[in-house]
Amino acid sequence: MAATGFIGLGVMGRPMARHVMASGRPVVLHTRTRSRVADLETAGAGWADTPAELARRCSVIVFVPPTIADIRAVTFGADGVLAGALSPAPGGDAPADAAGPPLLLVVSSTCGAAEVRTFGEEVRAASRGRVTVVDAPVSGGAEGAEAGTLSVMVGGADADAARAVEVLGATGRAVHLGPLGAGQVAKACNQLIVAATVVANAEAAVVAERAGLDVAALFDLLGGGYAGSRVMEVKARRFAEHDHSPSGAAKFMVKDLRAFAEVAADTGTTTTLTEPLRDAFGGLTDAGLGDADTAVVQHWIELASDRA
């Protein structure tokens, strides 16, 4: 079985790689700090010194860094993925994709739909069709990544998407939703809903606490009614205890909501929630709170209330 490569081995990428390994697929890793993946190597993962070497050894590479700029940085250039895909390995071995299907690059980072389409076009042109791209952003947070219960939103040509679904099915439920960029549109919609839910929960927590209610008891009760959600289930304790320690950084919602606004504009859709949510997450990021968990919007609301 051909190997699957991973670049971007943080909170989401590490457990995703581990689940792919557990499914029986060979996995090869590349990251700036090799010591961070020592446990995965001990468990059987391979290591590539450069993105080029990774491309020569793998048929699929999954990218999970924070931004599309990070992906472009390891794709293009002398030691980049494309250089490895299009040149023989040292010793004369052919690139991994030379005799089989194109090398498949899977963008599991969250970015704009237009950005990933442009990236796909550039990769296809530069590789003369020997490297193709799908987008497959994920939802479920660190908890879902660890449990292998992510929702994986796949966009791309049918054959390419089928290969991505086969690999990423090990990390949760992977569904092909349409052409390249469809995954990012789905993730943008997901992030709008998540952002709105986080803000609603945070605002309710502040009001309830200031009115003298036990927030933990309140959220436990509300969780069984229409207000219940996966966000409430995961973050109720955080709101009750004012625990905003880093997990999914709140600052990333700024780019995610920008991506949704771009899709809304492209489709001629008038929105009602997008701009207030962008103001909230942009405001807390500007206030220096962006590295904390998204639940930190609770603290931002408290600060704004105290200033009023």
Side-chain angles (χ1 to χ4, degrees), residues 273-295:
L273 287 176
T274 310
E275 292 311 312
L277 291 172
R278 293 181 74 183
D279 289 343
F281 284 97
L284 70 85
T285 299
D286 290 343
L289 303 174
D291 289 327
D293 184 82
T294 53

Side-chain angles (χ1 to χ4, degrees), residues 16-133:
M16 289 173 67
R18 189 175 66 248
H19 285 298
V20 172
M21 289 173 62
S23 74
R25 293 179 178 277
V27 167
V28 184
L29 312 173
H30 174 76
T31 185
R32 282 191 292 263
T33 308
R34 184 173 182 176
S35 60
R36 294 180 59 189
V37 295
D39 58 325
L40 294 179
E41 286 194 75
T42 299
W47 171 259
D49 286 327
T50 65
E53 180 188 342
L54 191 72
R56 285 191 288 263
R57 295 173 59 183
C58 298
S59 62
V60 176
I61 296 177
V62 181
F63 294 107
V64 206
T67 70
I68 192 73
D70 297 317
I71 294 172
R72 297 180 70 88
V74 295
T75 300
F76 302 101
D79 289 324
V81 165
L82 289 185
L86 300 176
S87 63
D93 293 337
D97 65 311
L103 172 64
L104 180 64
L105 307 185
V106 181
V107 178
S108 285
S109 308
T110 300
C111 59
E115 290 178 317
V116 79
R117 291 185 191 117
T118 298
F119 177 68
E121 292 167 1
E122 292 175 350
V123 165
R124 181 175 287 275
S127 68
R128 301 181 297 281
R130 289 171 58 185
V131 183
T132 57
V133 174

Side-chain angles (χ1 to χ4, degrees), residues 186-215:
K187 181 61 184 287
C189 293
N190 179 87
Q191 293 304 87
L192 175 79
I193 295 169
V194 170
T197 308
V198 168
V199 171
N201 279 219
E203 196 164 300
V206 173
V207 170
E209 186 174 68
R210 292 186 173 199
L213 276 66
D214 181 325
V215 173

Side-chain angles (χ1 to χ4, degrees), residues 167-236:
V167 171
L168 293 181
T171 70
R173 184 184 178 205
V175 177
H176 182 202
L177 296 170
L180 185 62
Q184 299 298 340
V185 172
K187 181 61 184 287
C189 293
N190 179 87
Q191 293 304 87
L192 175 79
I193 295 169
V194 170
T197 308
V198 168
V199 171
N201 279 219
E203 196 164 300
V206 173
V207 170
E209 186 174 68
R210 292 186 173 199
L213 276 66
D214 181 325
V215 173
L218 173 66
F219 276 25
D220 182 60
L221 177 64
L222 297 183
Y226 276 176
S229 67
R230 179 64 176 155
V231 168
M232 180 177 283
E233 178 184 344
V234 170
K235 296 190 183 291

